[in-house]
């Protein structure tokens, strides 16, 4: 029995629970229907999240072009039919996977911003965090850049990529603006330009890391420090 069938059965049970010959009170019936509907929506969303987690490893290893729903099914405990039930196609699954992963990533540096006590501390912790995520999460970052490149051709998930990209830009700007506040400057770069500089450094470091360059992460850390040190700034007006 599918999840939808189970929901229908539960709903029928709820509506059939009144005494014979008596219609259930409309308020109670409506409340029960709402509760069943809400549970079913939550269950569907939870299962999509589980499937996305299971698919992420295969997607990160093979990339967009070489991955199909059948390929993902063969590398997980879920059947192709189950994947197709919860996701309309490969684009639907991949977009959901990346959005799910990015939901955690776009706040990656917020704790550093919140706890840093000086410009030097913020610079040190932020640059170290960028280097660390390059070391530990390279396959997932590769998947993000793959999807972003594919969105130049696949209009179906372009809006999602633009939204994620905007959230990443805002995350970086929170770091940059806090650093400038500590240092007593206004940043001359726009949020988009500041993000482009650091994102470009990260993507370049990722390529070197995937190619086996052992000092790619350390080079990234040093370059992030240099960028923060060399931001074009002007003294804030009184």
């Amino acid at each position: 029995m599918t999840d939808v069938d189970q929901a229908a059965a539960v709903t029928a049970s709820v509506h059939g629970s009144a005494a014979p010959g008596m219609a259930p009170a409309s308020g109670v019936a409506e409340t029960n229907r709402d509760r069943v509907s809400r549970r079913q929506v939550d269950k569907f969303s939870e299962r999509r999240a589980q499937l996305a987690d299971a698919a992420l490893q295969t997607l990160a290893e093979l990339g967009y072009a070489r991955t199909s729903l059948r390929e993902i099914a063969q590398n997980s405990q879920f059947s192709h039919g189950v994947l197709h039930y919860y996701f309309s196609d490969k684009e639907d699954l991949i977009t959901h996977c990346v959005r799910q992963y990015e939901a955690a990533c776009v706040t990656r540096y917020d704790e550093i911003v919140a706890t840093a006590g000086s410009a030097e501390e913020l610079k040190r912790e932020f640059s170290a965090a960028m280097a660390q995520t390059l070391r530990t999460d390279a396959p997932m970052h590769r998947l993000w850049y793959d999807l972003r490149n594919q969105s130049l051709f696949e209009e179906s998930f372009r809006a999602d990529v633009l939204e994620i990209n905007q959230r990443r830009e805002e995350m970086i700007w929170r770091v940059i603006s806090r650093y400038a506040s500590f240092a007593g400057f206004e940043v001359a770069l726009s949020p988009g330009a500041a993000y482009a500089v650091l994102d470009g450094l990260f993507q370049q470091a990722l390529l070197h890391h995937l190619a086996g360059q052992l000092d790619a992460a350390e080079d990234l850390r040093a370059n992030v420090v240099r960028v923060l040190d060399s931001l074009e700034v002007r003294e804030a007006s009184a």
Side-chain angles (χ1 to χ4, degrees):
M1 179 181 290
T2 67
D3 292 339
V4 174
D5 293 334
Q6 290 173 350
V10 173
T11 304
S13 174
V14 168
H15 296 318
S17 59
M22 296 181 61
S26 59
V28 174
E30 185 65 30
T31 299
N32 287 338
R33 281 197 298 271
D34 290 345
R35 186 177 299 112
V36 170
S37 176
R38 184 169 58 254
R39 280 202 305 267
Q40 199 60 27
V41 169
D42 290 344
K43 184 176 181 180
F44 188 84
S45 297
E46 289 172 5
R47 178 50 66 91
R48 275 171 62 92
Q50 292 171 357
L51 292 171
D53 282 339
L56 273 171
Q57 183 174 354
T58 301
L59 287 167
E61 289 176 355
L62 299 181
Y64 172 85
R66 294 191 297 162
T67 304
S68 65
L69 289 182
R70 192 170 300 279
E71 184 76 30
I72 293 170
Q74 290 174 352
N75 287 277
S76 73
Q77 70 271 35
F78 302 104
S79 69
H80 178 258
V82 168
L83 286 173
H84 226 297
Y85 176 78
Y86 285 95
F87 297 97
S88 58
D89 52 28
K90 182 175 76 169
E91 285 74 20
D92 184 22
L93 172 59
I94 291 177
T95 302
H96 190 84
C97 286
V98 174
R99 288 177 67 90
Q100 187 164 302
Y101 175 73
E102 285 298 314
C105 291
V106 294
T107 59
R108 173 184 288 119
Y109 307 119
D110 285 355
E111 184 177 356
I112 294 173
V113 173
T115 59
S118 67
E120 283 301 315
E121 181 183 356
L122 179 57
K123 178 171 59 179
R124 182 180 66 251
E125 295 300 324
F126 173 57
S127 60
M130 287 195 72
Q132 182 61 24
T133 190
L134 177 68
R135 295 186 187 97
T136 59
D137 300 319
M140 301 310 305
H141 292 300
R142 178 175 60 182
L143 177 59
W144 157 246
Y145 287 117
D146 187 17
L147 179 61
R148 192 168 72 176
N149 289 337
Q150 289 296 330
S151 71
L152 297 174
F153 304 95
E154 296 284 349
E155 187 177 356
S156 60
F157 48 76
R158 190 171 298 157
D160 291 303
V161 166
L162 286 172
E163 180 185 342
I164 292 170
N165 209 56
Q166 179 63 34
R167 294 176 64 192
R168 290 167 66 96
E169 178 184 313
E170 291 167 355
M171 172 183 65
I172 294 299
W173 186 246
R174 289 193 291 272
V175 175
I176 297 296
S177 58
R178 183 59 172 159
Y179 176 77
S181 176
F182 274 133
F185 295 107
E186 287 184 4
V187 182
L189 293 176
S190 68
Y195 171 61
V197 170
L198 289 171
D199 183 67
L201 279 176
F202 190 90
Q203 188 172 13
Q204 182 182 51
L206 176 63
L207 178 59
H208 291 162
H209 176 77
L210 294 172
Q213 185 173 319
L214 299 179
D215 55 355
E218 177 55 27
D219 285 348
L220 173 62
R221 187 203 62 76
N223 281 328
V224 170
V225 169
R226 292 187 186 102
V227 167
L228 293 178
D229 283 341
S230 61
L231 284 173
E232 291 185 31
V233 296
R234 61 180 184 273
E235 290 189 5
S237 57

